[in-house]
Amino acid sequence: MKLRFVCFVAVGLIIGFFSLVSCQNSETIDTSNISVKVDIQRFDETMMQLKTKEQIKDFLSKNTKFVNQFYQTSPEDTTLINRLFLIHNNPDTQAFYEDTKKSFGNLTDLKSQLETAFKHIKYYYPDFKEPQIITTFTALDLELMVSDDMIVIPLETFLGPKAKYRPQYPLYLLQRFDKPYIVPSILTILSKKYNAIDPNDHTLLSDMIYYGKSYEFTRAMLPDVADSLVIAYADSNMTKTWNSQDLVWGHFIDNKVLYETNDRIKDKYLGDRPKVFEIGSDCPGRIGQWLGWRIVSRYRTENPSISLIDLMKNSNARDIFEKSKYKGQLED
């Protein structure tokens, strides 16, 4: 299984209220006796020292798995070799890399958060095997790659708003290309392995519940991370959406879209957009994903005996929805 990171993904005082409310379903677990290995391989440092095409080719040939998964080509690909040669020898990209290296330092925070996440995964799923972690520098050519056995993080992609160069995305997407979003994004993608679905259910509700379960998984593995980072919503969007969820829910019910199967219509509520104008000018994109998370959260509130593992194994979206008793209400 392999997924490339495709836009999943400043926590203010007001959002602290939201986080306290929505995190009440988190299970308290002890991971102190769980051991994991997080060894981050700094391919960015190694590769940026390669100055000749022969050196580059030799490195690629010794790391075939990395080349196959991340670049999706072979070590003998002359186009890749030529591209890396230009990156490694261009003064502008060299300066950009120095900024990147200075910003990330020795990756202590990244490693610590990955250790926390992996310990939690292993608590719930003892057979979990830590994937290989690689950091690299691509001059914004590629983005985060996550598979069962390898995670590749192009560091420059997550330099944040002060970076000299940034990924070429609209402003409403750029906020998630920052350091605090790296590990939540990784966990959301890793959740796919554990997130059971009904392949015959093509409704909007099914997709909403799928996203909701993925965010619930991520929150469980990163219990100290704010919900705004999990779903990659701005603070203001989180607050407005939380306080207006009765209106959001009313739109879904009044327009009978929960069981919609038309992909074009579903994408209006699930896809990345600056706003869901069908609901209102303040309604953020991916509102269906957020609403799916609310349903899943209510499901766990109403059914406290349901463990995270039980939740992830449940492929019946309608069952989760009906037992959630969700009707657009705030938490009691």
Side-chain angles (χ1 to χ4, degrees), residues 59-307:
F59 174 85
L60 297 179
S61 66
K62 292 177 180 178
N63 295 279
T64 302
K65 179 181 174 182
F66 162 68
V67 177
N68 290 343
Q69 290 202 34
F70 185 57
Y71 292 105
Q72 298 186 334
T73 188
S74 69
E76 297 79 24
D77 188 337
T78 56
T79 300
L80 173 59
I81 294 171
N82 290 336
R83 174 59 181 161
L84 294 176
F85 176 78
L86 290 175
I87 291 175
H88 298 175
N89 289 279
N90 184 289
D92 290 334
T93 53
Q94 279 284 347
F96 185 27
Y97 174 63
E98 290 302 318
D99 290 342
T100 300
K101 189 165 61 169
K102 181 179 179 180
S103 178
F104 276 91
N106 60 8
L107 306 181
T108 300
D109 292 341
L110 178 62
K111 182 176 181 179
S112 176
Q113 199 171 43
L114 284 170
E115 286 177 344
T116 296
F118 290 171
K119 283 184 177 182
H120 279 75
I121 296 178
K122 188 162 285 190
Y123 173 88
Y124 290 103
Y125 302 95
D127 293 337
F128 170 75
K129 182 175 176 56
E130 304 93 315
Q132 181 182 10
I133 310 293
I134 295 172
T135 58
T136 189
F137 177 86
T138 70
L140 298 177
D141 269 359
L142 295 171
E143 296 173 3
L144 178 67
M145 189 219 78
V146 179
S147 70
D148 286 346
D149 58 359
M150 181 180 290
I151 297 170
V152 184
I153 308 168
L155 296 176
E156 80 283 1
T157 303
F158 294 96
L159 279 178
K162 295 183 180 180
K164 184 176 182 180
Y165 305 104
R166 304 211 65 195
Q168 296 298 305
Y169 285 109
L171 186 60
Y172 71 92
L173 296 180
L174 276 180
Q175 70 165 35
R176 67 193 69 174
F177 290 95
D178 202 353
K179 296 184 188 72
Y181 295 93
I182 296 176
V183 179
S185 298
I186 289 172
L187 267 292
T188 300
I189 299 173
L190 283 177
S191 72
K192 178 180 175 66
K193 178 179 180 179
Y194 309 101
N195 199 344
I197 61 172
D198 179 356
N200 297 313
D201 187 347
H202 304 290
T203 62
L204 174 62
L205 176 65
S206 178
D207 291 344
M208 289 166 56
I209 297 299
Y210 173 84
Y211 282 110
K213 289 163 62 183
S214 73
Y215 294 133
E216 191 73 6
F217 176 94
T218 301
R219 184 170 66 187
M221 304 312 161
L222 296 169
D224 296 326
V225 169
D227 289 355
S228 56
L229 297 177
V230 172
I231 196 171
Y233 262 8
D235 295 355
S236 58
N237 285 342
M238 291 285 282
T239 306
K240 290 177 182 177
T241 304
W242 176 263
N243 291 329
S244 303
Q245 60 187 288
D246 56 337
L247 301 178
V248 173
W249 181 245
H251 173 90
F252 275 71
I253 297 302
D254 293 344
N255 291 274
K256 299 181 174 61
V257 295
L258 284 181
Y259 298 101
E260 179 61 63
T261 58
N262 184 294
D263 288 336
R264 182 181 61 81
I265 296 176
K266 290 196 298 180
D267 192 56
K268 291 181 179 180
Y269 300 100
L270 298 172
D272 272 306
R273 304 171 64 190
K275 303 290 181 183
V276 181
F277 295 101
E278 290 80 2
I279 296 178
S281 59
D282 286 333
C283 183
R286 297 183 291 119
I287 192 63
Q289 296 185 26
W290 181 87
L291 195 57
W293 194 9
R294 284 294 299 123
I295 294 171
V296 169
S297 181
R298 285 295 307 180
Y299 171 73
R300 298 194 72 196
T301 297
E302 293 292 333
N303 303 273
S305 64
I306 299 296
S307 69

